[in-house]
Amino acid sequence: MKSSEKNTPPSSYKRNEYGLISNVDYVFNEDGSVDWRSMIKEEHLFPNKGWFDARKKTMPKSISGLKDHQLLIKLGGIKELAKLRGFTSVQYKTVKCDQDHVAVSCSITFLPNYETGDNPVVFEDMANATLNNTSSFATKFLETIACNRAFVRCVRNFLNVH
């Protein structure tokens, strides 16, 4: 790579007239909207241990053949999905911050695309973290856990990823 090319982003990371990244193979629903759940790479999915434990079923070693309600998505997969969809800002508001309970609201301004009538959309969701819904090391980082949960809910709910 030439030194002048080091500071030049690839031209393939441009959005087209529909607001989609030109070199990405999107999966679409029957109604023409993007199937954002299908856009999550398998490396970001793993079996939901709690689902299998609650039903006294053996935890599978892979995600092969599992249904969406039997899966969890890693935070990295949600971040990648948000980047793929496109956004201009992410803002957090602390709604409550006590030693044993933190509630946070996350607001994301998503880029315009054909699904939103070519208008940017601000979407907001919230989440909490308490000593009762966290365990292990997470109890020491309630603010961070609440922020991550709010971000995940905001992205998932806006993109209809169940």
Side-chain angles (χ1 to χ4, degrees):
M1 182 181 280
K2 296 178 186 175
S3 63
S4 63
E5 294 174 349
K6 288 181 183 177
N7 296 323
T8 305
S11 60
S12 59
Y13 195 77
K14 292 186 178 179
R15 294 193 181 269
N16 62 25
E17 67 271 20
Y18 304 108
L20 305 177
I21 299 173
S22 299
N23 69 331
V24 171
D25 289 327
Y26 288 84
V27 178
F28 297 93
N29 294 308
E30 287 182 20
D31 66 0
S33 62
V34 176
D35 181 352
W36 292 105
R37 162 54 190 92
S38 295
M39 301 301 294
I40 300 169
K41 295 177 183 173
E42 285 192 9
E43 66 197 58
H44 296 298
L45 301 172
F46 61 100
N48 182 348
K49 184 178 181 321
W51 189 90
F52 290 95
D53 287 350
R55 288 154 184 83
K56 295 181 174 48
K57 294 188 175 206
T58 304
M59 175 84 160
K61 294 183 192 250
S62 78
I63 64 166
S64 181
L66 297 181
K67 297 186 171 137
D68 282 351
H69 66 275
Q70 298 170 313
L71 296 170
L72 295 175
I73 306 167
K74 295 176 185 176
L75 178 59
I78 296 294
K79 288 181 176 182
E80 199 171 279
L81 193 60
K83 183 179 174 185
L84 183 61
R85 173 53 182 82
F87 60 92
T88 57
S89 70
V90 177
Q91 297 180 341
Y92 297 95
K93 289 181 236 159
T94 304
V95 177
K96 181 177 183 178
C97 189
D98 291 338
Q99 187 172 356
D100 62 345
H101 182 207
V102 177
V104 173
S105 172
C106 177
S107 174
I108 302 175
T109 303
F110 289 93
L111 290 175
N113 78 1
Y114 78 100
E115 293 175 301
T116 63
D118 294 319
N119 294 305
V121 173
V122 177
F123 194 84
E124 187 170 354
D125 214 324
M126 70 179 307
N128 69 36
T130 70
L131 295 180
N132 293 328
N133 67 16
T134 58
S135 61
S136 183
F137 79 96
T139 61
K140 298 182 187 316
F141 303 98
L142 295 180
E143 298 89 351
T144 302
I145 300 298
C147 286
N148 285 343
R149 288 176 177 178
F151 176 79
V152 166
R153 287 182 181 169
C154 193
V155 173
R156 285 182 60 224
N157 287 332
F158 180 69
L159 299 179
N160 290 314
V161 175
H162 303 293

